[in-house]
Amino acid sequence: MNNKQKTINLKINGEFYEFEIGEKDWQIRPHHTLSHTLREILNLTGTKISCDDGACGACTVIMDGKAVLSCLILTVECDGKEITTIEGLKDPKTGELDLLQKKFIEHNAFQCGFCTPGMIMSSKALLEKTQHPTEEEIKEALSGNFCRCISYYQVIKAVKAALNERR
Amino acid sequence: MKPFEHYNAKTVKEAVNLLSRYKGNAKVNAGGTDLISAMKNRCLKEYPKAIVNIKTIPNLNYIKTKGKTIRIGALTKLSDIAESPEIKKYCRLLSDAARSVASPNVRNMATIAGNLAQDVRCWYYRYPHQVGGTIKCLRKGGELCNALLGENRYHSIFGAAPLENYPCSEGCPAHIDINIYINEIKKGNIDDAARTLLKSNPLPAITGRVCPVFCEPKCNRGAYDEPVAIQCIERTIGDLILERYEEFYQQPVAETGKNVAVFGSGPAGLSAAFFLRRYGHKVTIFEKFSEPGGMLLYSIPPYRLPKDIVKRQIKALEHMGILFKTGVEIEKDITIQELKKKFDAIFIAIGTWESIKLGVPGEDAQGVYYALDYLKRINNGEDVGIGEKVVVIGGGSVAIDAARTAIRKGAKDVHIVCLESWDFDSKDRMLALDDEIIDAEEEGIIIHPNLGIKEILKAEGRVKGIQTVRCLSVREADGTFNPIFDESGPSFVIEAESILIAIGQRTENFLYSIFKITDDPSVFIGGDMETGPSTVIQAIASGKEKAGAINRFLNTTEFYKENQRIQYFVASNFNQLPRIKIQKVPLKERVSDINIEEILSVGFDDIQTESKRCFNCGCLATQPSDIAVALIALDAVIVTTKRRIKAKDLFKATATRLTNLEYDELIKDIIIPIPPIESIQRYEKFTLRKPIDFAIASVAGILKIENGICKDVKIVLGGVAPEPICIDGIKRDLAGKKIDHEIAEEISQKIFKSAYPLSQNAYKVQIAKTLLKRAIMNNP
């Protein structure tokens, strides 16, 4: 029985990647988390690692349309998945920022900014899924993203502003 | 994380094959935060060699309504369950429970089966290795749950998950279920305690007096202050059992028709007879002396073990239907060949009654006795004139018994001379117990350690004294007896009128032929006869073991069920209580009469207080799964790769596992019977930080109420114990009653009366009570 995969395929921010699985330096090791691969292999350092234990939300990325925590997912389990990180939100051709990103800037929805990519990815997943979320739903969707600078009020304003503009 | 092999399973079968191939060294990844977090923190007892990812298995992600049931696939995400319109409509409490788990992003990754099978979230268990090394808690091979004496604000208020093996019970040769009967005493169920004790120890009133207590040194409380006074508790319960022997020593429910002979009525014979009788066999005990009891009656002096206790014990066994035939000596009055014609099996436990000779000049002098013969004669009521100045030779319990008996019989000047060292910690220490030695010295007996005997001095054929020689070493490092004497060193004389030799005993010479017949499958040998001189409890253990072997040999179907370990969690408690002070009769009084029992009895109130000192060692971590609590309330059935099991039966916690899933067993499907549409459902959870914390307490409830009257109710509590607590009696208490504040209060009082909060978590009682009352009242 040889059911150990040798390669995995990922679509990250619209680009296709094929990784070898193994113990060599350039290969993905079974114990690598997705956040590790994004940051250390692909240099997509917009995804942050804070608690590294699933509690803070800083590492949030969107996988197959859902906001998930990349620090508690092994890269080797992601074969065939489509992943979007904060770097993938801007228009790939023009470089124009996503509406949510713009509204976060306009509303000063951060102070140190470390939690912001996670906040934006959770908000993005909500907006993709729900047309007209209520304030309660926004708060609920962001309840796993922690900010030590207490930017929450501005974050909610920014998300609501993005929603208004989308209408 | 340390490296591991990784598999993305494509089918359930493939996953199961992998898991069985790794024989427990592989872990399943079903999403969520449990496993990867534990791996990162390196807190697991053993790091898995492989991870089997089962999220890649298709067709296990579904929510289907089919007739009167809802079926949920094992790999359905918690977010899907929380949002499912069907579940919201029919099983509201499950969608609420799913929504209460962690944060929305975790719920997007976590599956229902992963949630059910998750490990404890105890902070001792999960203490990150990077932060100063793994804490070796009870789940990881430690001896004591850290939460018992440490920070325990999030731990169980209803006791601990039981250990597979308790240190006290493991320490005891007969493996008495000490923790279980002490737990019953704690609760005030003295009769249940008595029945439990009697299941594993047929002679508790006797071991409650003369056991060298192998259990107490193993007691975990010893590391904190002093061990629980187990023997003291055992004695009181043992006396109760003898007092009401007709109730406790009953005839077996059914007879097997088999007939077993037991030779020897010492502790091994009595123990074997007891268990054989319980199995339903006819048992006849043969005893060579005029009264049954063996060493219990003829060797152990009455100030330690009153004759009356032994006699009542025999009476109790007779009440079970065991026959006693005294004055019958094996091979002399009846041969084994003759016995074999009448009995289906024979158990021989005739002990060691021949004293070992000293082998020095002068041993034939008048006034030289062997301690065992001396004790036997005294215990038989004879008067043995040994004068006022007595020397006892030997350092074991028999030597001490003989010396203390001599004092009580009027000797004024008693000396014990032994090869061994007086130092309790030495490899050459005396074999007698610490307490025996201390008591003997208190009574004025002079111990001369490190001395051998060169010669027994005599004058005109009578003993005059002993010529000693210094003993340099008794045992080799591995314990082998090999005394070394300082032949050229100083040697002095101790004068004596009599000498009692107690340097060991063995089975009588002419009976050695018995050992030759052990290849006869119907003849069994046990007790001291097999092992050499030991202790009462070891003899009891031997009798119990041989009774089991004989029963297997007889191959009867009528089987007395061995004591089953309770699978429910046990009440763990930590109270700052001093160990009970064992009271002794004042010295002057007790040495005046051999029949005055030295140690006084203790009452029920005192043993109940003492029993509260028992930690009831176990794991105090709580079951963390919200879904488990909800599924139990919903009467769900869980389908695994091996069986269909009711949710409430899956979560049976022990100190090492939260569920009884096997290592190669996977949850596949969950079947929920849809509750009546008019029923009120509720899942409520109290946490400190909502998105990340596990329940401090939670409640799942289903109520059917008509016109304010409760028709049906089911309530399960979470976060308060190692398992979700299904409140069994609540329907009885509530059905047909009007729901109001009073009844809610009454019921919550009743339920939490049996709570045992730890030093820092009594607040959980209040929270859980409030949640329960709110569930009953259906208050928002």
Side-chain angles (χ1 to χ4, degrees):
Chain A
M1 185 161 60
N2 186 13
N3 35 21
K4 270 167 70 185
Q5 274 174 273
K6 295 210 166 51
T7 59
I8 50 163
N9 291 285
L10 297 177
K11 187 179 175 190
I12 299 170
N13 298 335
E15 307 259 358
F16 288 96
Y17 295 88
E18 181 172 20
F19 294 105
E20 283 177 29
I21 301 171
E23 297 298 322
K24 305 262 165 46
D25 279 352
W26 67 86
Q27 292 172 322
I28 301 288
R29 295 180 200 187
H31 65 276
H32 281 174
T33 57
L34 180 60
S35 57
H36 176 93
T37 303
L38 292 172
R39 290 176 55 86
E40 308 301 328
I41 308 290
L42 299 176
N43 213 21
L44 295 170
T45 53
T47 300
K48 303 299 183 206
I49 297 173
S50 180
C51 76
D52 205 14
D53 211 19
C56 74
C59 66
T60 303
V61 298
I62 296 176
M63 188 193 278
D64 290 349
K66 285 188 171 170
V68 295
L69 303 174
S70 62
C71 76
L72 287 181
I73 295 174
L74 300 174
T75 309
V76 285
E77 19 166 322
C78 295
D79 190 33
K81 301 280 187 196
E82 186 173 347
I83 293 156
T84 309
T85 70
I86 188 80
E87 290 90 345
L89 292 188
K90 65 172 191 267
D91 189 304
K93 290 189 188 109
T94 62
E96 190 191 346
L97 290 182
D98 183 84
L99 179 63
L100 264 171
Q101 289 173 303
K102 286 185 195 163
K103 293 299 161 193
F104 265 66
I105 295 167
E106 275 174 30
H107 287 83
N108 289 325
F110 45 80
Q111 197 180 113
C112 80
F114 201 82
C115 71
T116 312
M119 290 275 188
I120 292 178
M121 297 318 286
S122 292
S123 310
K124 182 74 184 168
L126 172 72
L127 266 56
E128 300 276 295
K129 193 178 80 176
T130 317
Q131 268 305 311
H132 305 292
T134 62
E135 182 168 327
E136 265 322 294
E137 284 170 322
I138 299 170
K139 285 180 179 170
E140 167 64 20
L142 287 169
S143 63
N145 292 84
F146 282 25
C147 170
R148 298 195 66 177
C149 322
I150 327 291
S151 66
Y152 301 117
Y153 304 100
Q154 288 83 354
V155 166
I156 289 165
K157 275 184 192 162
V159 176
K160 280 161 97 176
L163 270 170
N164 282 337
E165 202 161 316
R166 192 166 75 174
R167 279 180 197 146
Chain B
M1 271 184 272
K2 290 186 199 170
F4 49 81
E5 302 287 325
H6 187 273
Y7 301 91
N8 287 321
K10 297 278 185 296
T11 62
V12 172
K13 200 176 166 200
E14 183 191 340
V16 169
N17 284 345
L18 281 164
L19 292 171
S20 37
R21 180 158 27 113
Y22 277 94
K23 294 187 171 60
N25 287 321
K27 292 254 182 204
V28 177
N29 184 1
T33 59
D34 177 15
L35 180 64
I36 306 296
S37 165
M39 302 266 289
K40 279 185 182 177
N41 289 330
R42 298 195 184 180
C43 66
L44 297 170
K45 187 183 176 191
E46 274 152 32
Y47 208 78
K49 287 200 171 70
I51 299 281
V52 179
N53 173 31
I54 58 168
K55 287 171 289 174
T56 36
I57 300 173
N59 305 327
L60 282 179
N61 181 357
Y62 55 80
I63 298 167
K64 291 182 204 160
T65 311
K66 217 172 137 190
K68 287 188 172 141
T69 57
I70 290 185
R71 299 183 77 125
I72 302 176
L75 296 175
T76 310
K77 298 277 195 302
L78 294 181
S79 52
D80 294 337
I81 293 167
E83 283 155 28
S84 155
E86 291 153 288
I87 293 183
K88 268 186 195 163
K89 187 173 165 196
Y90 297 121
C91 303
R92 178 86 221 177
L93 77 87
L94 178 61
S95 71
D96 287 348
R99 194 174 304 103
S100 81
V101 176
S103 68
N105 299 357
V106 171
R107 297 198 288 275
N108 283 337
M109 304 152 62
T111 60
I112 186 166
N115 185 280
L116 292 175
Q118 68 183 301
D119 211 342
V120 295
R121 302 290 174 155
C122 169
W123 54 25
Y124 296 107
Y125 180 66
R126 289 193 178 252
Y127 189 75
H129 180 75
Q130 296 88 325
V131 193
T134 304
I135 291 181
K136 203 179 170 201
C137 84
L138 200 66
R139 300 181 90 80
K140 297 192 252 187
E143 282 176 349
L144 192 60
C145 174
N146 303 69
L148 196 60
L149 302 175
E151 172 64 77
N152 51 30
R153 70 178 86 159
Y154 298 147
H155 289 83
S156 167
I157 52 172
F158 278 105
L163 301 174
E164 302 267 332
N165 299 307
Y166 282 81
C168 47
S169 177
E170 282 300 286
C172 171
H175 301 310
I176 298 173
D177 286 320
I178 296 163
N179 62 299
I180 299 177
Y181 82 74
I182 287 189
N183 195 33
E184 294 296 343
I185 298 169
K186 246 184 208 182
K187 293 190 278 186
N189 304 336
I190 301 290
D191 287 11
D192 287 340
R195 272 186 284 273
T196 306
L197 174 55
L198 202 55
K199 274 180 192 169
S200 46
N201 180 2
L203 317 172
I206 290 169
T207 49
R209 289 175 165 82
V210 294
C211 190
V213 283
F214 296 99
C215 51
E216 290 184 26
K218 300 275 180 181
C219 174
N220 272 333
R221 178 136 194 161
Y224 175 68
D225 48 16
E226 282 182 279
V228 175
I230 300 168
Q231 187 174 29
C232 180
I233 295 172
E234 183 186 38
R235 172 171 159 175
T236 302
I237 300 294
D239 284 351
L240 169 94
I241 291 173
L242 280 194
E243 227 159 76
R244 290 164 42 196
Y245 71 88
E246 288 171 332
E247 188 181 328
F248 290 110
Y249 288 89
Q250 287 188 357
Q251 299 262 358
V253 189
E255 301 280 344
T256 60
K258 300 283 181 182
N259 206 350
V260 185
V262 172
F263 242 101
S265 63
L270 295 180
S271 162
F274 171 86
F275 288 105
L276 287 166
R277 189 70 193 124
R278 279 216 164 173
Y279 288 131
H281 309 307
K282 196 163 177 280
V283 182
T284 309
I285 299 184
F286 295 92
E287 168 58 48
K288 78 168 169 178
F289 293 131
S290 58
E291 274 190 74
M295 290 275 180
L296 300 171
L297 197 68
Y298 290 101
S299 163
I300 300 172
Y303 61 88
R304 283 176 59 203
L305 177 60
K307 300 298 144 211
D308 178 48
I309 296 286
V310 182
K311 285 176 184 161
R312 274 155 63 191
Q313 185 67 67
I314 302 295
K315 216 166 141 191
L317 293 168
E318 275 174 336
H319 188 258
M320 292 176 83
I322 295 168
L323 298 173
F324 286 87
K325 290 199 171 163
T326 53
V328 185
E329 195 166 357
I330 197 164
E331 294 298 61
K332 279 190 179 162
D333 298 319
I334 188 162
T335 66
I336 290 168
Q337 290 314 318
E338 283 164 352
L339 275 174
K340 276 181 66 176
K341 286 178 196 147
K342 291 184 191 159
F343 294 92
D344 300 302
I346 301 160
F347 178 57
I348 305 167
I350 48 173
T352 51
W353 281 96
E354 187 174 288
S355 296
I356 293 172
K357 302 246 175 318
L358 197 53
V360 297
E363 202 170 351
D364 58 344
Q366 239 185 6
V368 172
Y369 300 88
Y370 293 93
L372 204 56
D373 296 329
Y374 170 70
L375 287 170
K376 190 169 83 189
R377 287 170 63 187
I378 294 284
N379 284 323
N380 207 19
E382 289 177 43
D383 212 9
V384 188
I386 54 168
E388 293 197 342
K389 199 166 162 61
V390 179
V391 166
V392 181
I393 298 169
S397 296
V398 175
I400 300 271
D401 282 348
R404 295 177 70 192
T405 298
I407 285 268
R408 282 160 174 77
K409 282 289 172 189
K412 293 278 175 291
D413 193 4
V414 181
H415 298 252
I416 290 176
V417 177
C418 61
L419 298 174
E420 293 98 332
S421 160
W422 188 88
D423 177 5
F424 292 162
D425 299 322
S426 159
K427 74 167 170 65
D428 286 343
R429 67 157 288 162
M430 293 171 71
L431 291 176
L433 307 174
D434 296 4
D435 282 346
E436 291 178 327
I437 297 167
I438 293 164
D439 285 345
E441 292 199 311
E442 220 176 80
E443 289 168 10
I445 293 159
I446 298 157
I447 297 176
H448 303 268
N450 311 104
L451 285 183
I453 314 296
K454 223 174 194 171
E455 189 185 347
I456 292 172
L457 306 168
K458 52 184 181 179
E460 293 158 17
R462 266 209 71 86
V463 165
K464 215 177 81 187
I466 50 166
Q467 184 81 44
T468 65
V469 56
R470 187 141 293 277
C471 177
L472 299 172
S473 161
V474 186
R475 298 178 196 108
E476 287 173 20
D478 65 356
T480 317
F481 182 74
N482 183 21
I484 297 165
F485 298 103
D486 181 11
E487 302 286 356
S488 59
S491 162
F492 60 93
V493 170
I494 301 172
E495 288 181 6
E497 290 170 56
S498 304
I499 288 175
L500 302 175
I501 299 171
I503 59 161
Q505 59 262 21
R506 61 183 173 209
T507 300
E508 286 135 291
N509 224 345
F510 76 97
L511 290 171
Y512 268 79
S513 61
I514 289 174
F515 288 108
K516 290 184 196 140
I517 51 151
T518 48
D519 53 352
D520 183 326
S522 66
V523 180
F524 297 78
I525 288 175
D528 280 3
M529 192 184 177
E530 186 183 41
T531 59
S534 66
T535 62
V536 172
I537 191 70
Q538 281 161 303
I540 288 174
S542 166
K544 183 179 173 182
E545 185 200 320
K546 298 294 158 132
I550 292 167
N551 191 54
R552 284 192 292 280
F553 166 73
L554 294 174
N555 197 20
T556 49
T557 46
E558 205 58 51
F559 213 80
Y560 162 73
K561 285 231 168 12
E562 274 292 311
N563 189 23
Q564 305 258 321
R565 284 209 183 282
I566 45 161
Q567 275 302 299
Y568 206 59
F569 51 84
V570 288
S572 178
N573 206 358
F574 164 64
N575 286 313
Q576 300 243 2
L577 283 170
R579 181 180 157 109
I580 191 167
K581 290 272 171 295
I582 291 157
Q583 301 294 330
K584 282 185 186 168
V585 174
L587 186 69
K588 261 202 175 147
E589 199 185 323
R590 76 175 191 241
V591 294
S592 70
D593 184 349
I594 195 166
N595 290 313
I596 291 178
E597 190 173 10
E598 181 189 2
I599 295 170
L600 296 172
S601 286
V602 170
F604 290 117
D605 288 349
D606 288 336
I607 63 159
Q608 194 172 1
T609 308
E610 182 64 20
S611 73
K612 287 181 179 158
R613 295 183 67 244
C614 173
F615 283 161
N616 248 337
C617 309
C619 171
L620 286 158
T622 56
Q623 157 67 256
S625 168
D626 295 297
I627 305 295
V629 179
L631 290 185
I632 293 172
L634 286 165
D635 260 332
V637 170
I638 296 180
V639 184
T640 75
T641 47
K642 295 191 177 179
R643 57 194 157 151
R644 290 163 75 100
I645 184 168
K646 288 204 146 226
K648 77 173 166 57
D649 298 326
L650 183 69
F651 302 97
K652 287 284 161 234
T654 70
T656 45
R657 294 195 307 175
L658 283 180
T659 69
N660 48 36
L661 282 172
E662 289 169 31
Y663 68 82
D664 57 346
E665 184 177 13
L666 290 176
I667 295 173
K668 288 199 304 193
D669 189 17
I670 290 143
I671 306 169
I672 305 168
I674 295 175
I677 200 80
E678 70 277 12
S679 61
I680 300 161
Q681 297 189 25
R682 185 189 193 89
Y683 184 81
E684 204 182 351
K685 170 176 170 184
F686 184 91
T687 59
L688 294 180
R689 295 163 299 178
K690 226 171 191 166
I692 55 168
D693 280 341
F694 292 83
I696 300 273
S698 65
V699 62
I702 302 185
L703 284 97
K704 213 175 127 187
I705 295 170
E706 279 172 24
N707 305 323
I709 306 291
C710 175
K711 293 286 171 195
D712 199 2
V713 56
K714 183 145 194 202
I715 286 184
V716 183
L717 294 173
V720 290
E723 298 165 12
I725 300 187
C726 187
I727 303 170
D728 290 324
I730 198 161
K731 192 171 168 183
R732 202 180 48 232
D733 291 341
L734 211 53
K737 300 229 172 88
K738 189 169 171 290
I739 298 286
D740 58 17
H741 185 78
E742 231 165 80
I743 191 125
E745 178 66 31
E746 190 190 312
I747 283 170
S748 74
Q749 289 292 354
K750 190 177 163 188
I751 287 159
F752 287 94
K753 215 172 75 184
S754 57
Y756 287 95
L758 303 162
S759 57
Q760 292 163 24
N761 69 2
Y763 75 99
K764 285 180 82 162
V765 175
Q766 208 51 44
I767 290 168
K769 250 187 189 175
T770 306
L771 291 182
L772 175 66
K773 280 192 277 184
R774 269 153 61 165
I776 294 172
M777 300 287 293
N778 194 33
N779 281 349

